[in-house]
């Protein structure tokens, strides 16, 4: 059984379109920053930004609380199948297409292989989180990257990823560490809730991690 907290539609193999619930999208109508956002301001409505994991914006609940409530309801309503061992796996969705990743390369927004994609952390919630982290590290002047290119660029066309680029600087390393750790913490939070909900059930918990999508032939790659 798959705990689908993401939109179906727009990813490889999707043959139907099932958006995230209307009442969640209604919140987004007045606060579009609940969705992942690229540097140009384009929103991605496949999945809520992990910036709202702990923000009580959804009728008093946070995003993580909504995911936990969904899983608790599933356990309650599917109790006989869980107890009987009919359901053997619970796959927990953690991002777009159910994968623990950022929506960095959306075909729906014009990305084509093998473009480098974009950082997707420019909603106001993630931006505030980064600014707070930078200030705590003694660098309140640091901003999110503005030199990492667009979806279909190659690494050498950007200041961030080119040889001896921004990614090697103190600021670049700090940003990359913050960006990747936010995703890991996102997964940890939701899986902690899944462990609590399905404690005692004879099921395996699983997640999807996006793989390496293509080979590269140069030492410097995005």
């Amino acid at each position: 059984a798959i705990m689908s907290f993401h939109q179906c539609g727009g990813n490889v193999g999707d043959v139907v379109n099932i958006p995230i619930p209307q009442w969640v999208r209604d919140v987004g109508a007045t606060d579009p920053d609940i969705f992942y956002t690229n540097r140009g301001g384009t929103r991605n409505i496949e999945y809520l930004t992990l910036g709202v994991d702990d923000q009580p914006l959804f009728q008093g609940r946070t995003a993580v609380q909504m995911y936990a409530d969904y899983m608790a309801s599933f356990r309650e309503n599917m109790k006989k199948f869980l107890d009987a061992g009919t359901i053997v796996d619970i796959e927990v969705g953690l991002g777009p297409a159910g994968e623990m990743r950022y929506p960095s390369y959306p075909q729906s927004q014009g990305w084509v292989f093998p473009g480098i994609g974009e950082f997707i952390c420019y909603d106001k919630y993630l931006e505030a989180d980064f600014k707070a982290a930078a200030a705590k590290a003694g660098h309140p002047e640091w901003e999110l990257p503005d030199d990492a290119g667009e979806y279909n660029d190659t690494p050498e066309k950007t200041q961030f990823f080119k040889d001896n680029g921004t990614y090697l600087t103190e600021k670049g390393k700090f940003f990359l560490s913050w960006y990747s750790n936010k995703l890991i913490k996102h997964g940890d939070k939701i899986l902690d809730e899944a462990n609590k909900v399905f404690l005692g059930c004879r099921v395996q918990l699983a997640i999807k991690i996006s793989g390496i999508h293509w080979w590269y032939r140069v030492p410097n790659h995005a």
Side-chain angles (χ1 to χ4, degrees), residues 36-191:
Y36 278 122
T37 308
N38 69 11
R39 193 171 71 87
T42 303
R43 314 288 185 180
N44 186 301
I45 60 171
E46 292 180 70
Y47 187 83
L48 294 173
T49 168
L50 55 82
V52 299
D53 278 356
D54 303 314
Q55 300 285 342
L57 302 171
F58 307 95
Q59 299 171 13
R61 291 185 294 170
T62 68
V64 171
Q65 286 172 334
M66 289 196 296
Y67 306 146
D69 287 347
Y70 178 95
M71 291 187 284
S73 178
F74 182 88
R75 175 169 182 174
E76 181 182 332
N77 285 280
M78 298 294 166
K79 185 177 187 306
K80 70 177 180 179
F81 299 107
L82 288 161
D83 291 348
T86 306
I87 297 172
V88 294
D89 286 327
I90 300 288
E91 184 182 295
V92 183
L94 297 174
E99 298 176 332
M100 194 171 89
R101 64 172 173 86
Y102 293 98
S104 300
Y105 43 95
Q107 290 178 313
S108 61
Q109 293 180 16
W111 172 85
V112 292
F113 172 90
I116 60 172
E118 292 188 33
F119 294 127
I120 309 292
C121 53
Y122 296 85
D123 62 86
K124 68 182 181 185
Y125 299 105
L126 277 178
E127 188 167 8
D129 189 285
F130 175 78
K131 289 294 289 181
K136 189 175 179 181
H139 288 281
E141 75 281 5
W142 281 351
E143 304 284 349
L144 293 170
D146 62 359
D147 61 353
E150 299 181 347
Y151 291 128
N152 294 312
D153 282 337
T154 53
E156 62 273 12
K157 284 186 177 177
T158 74
Q159 289 296 314
F160 194 94
F161 290 115
K162 71 176 186 178
D163 283 337
N164 299 311
T166 309
Y167 78 98
L168 289 172
T169 65
E170 183 186 5
K171 175 186 171 183
K173 290 177 180 176
F174 179 84
F175 166 75
L176 290 171
S177 176
W178 170 84
Y179 192 66
S180 55
N181 278 313
K182 289 301 294 183
L183 193 61
I184 293 168
K185 290 172 186 173
H186 172 72
D188 281 346
K189 286 177 190 174
I190 299 171
L191 289 172

Side-chain angles (χ1 to χ4, degrees), residues 22-41:
Q22 181 65 54
W23 57 270
V24 177
R25 286 180 286 142
D26 288 344
V27 176
T30 54
D31 184 5
D33 284 279
I34 68 170
F35 296 116
Y36 278 122
T37 308
N38 69 11
R39 193 171 71 87

Side-chain angles (χ1 to χ4, degrees), residues 155 212-222:
I212 297 174
H213 293 275
W214 54 86
W215 293 104
Y216 46 85
R217 296 181 179 276
V218 291
N220 176 37
H221 53 278

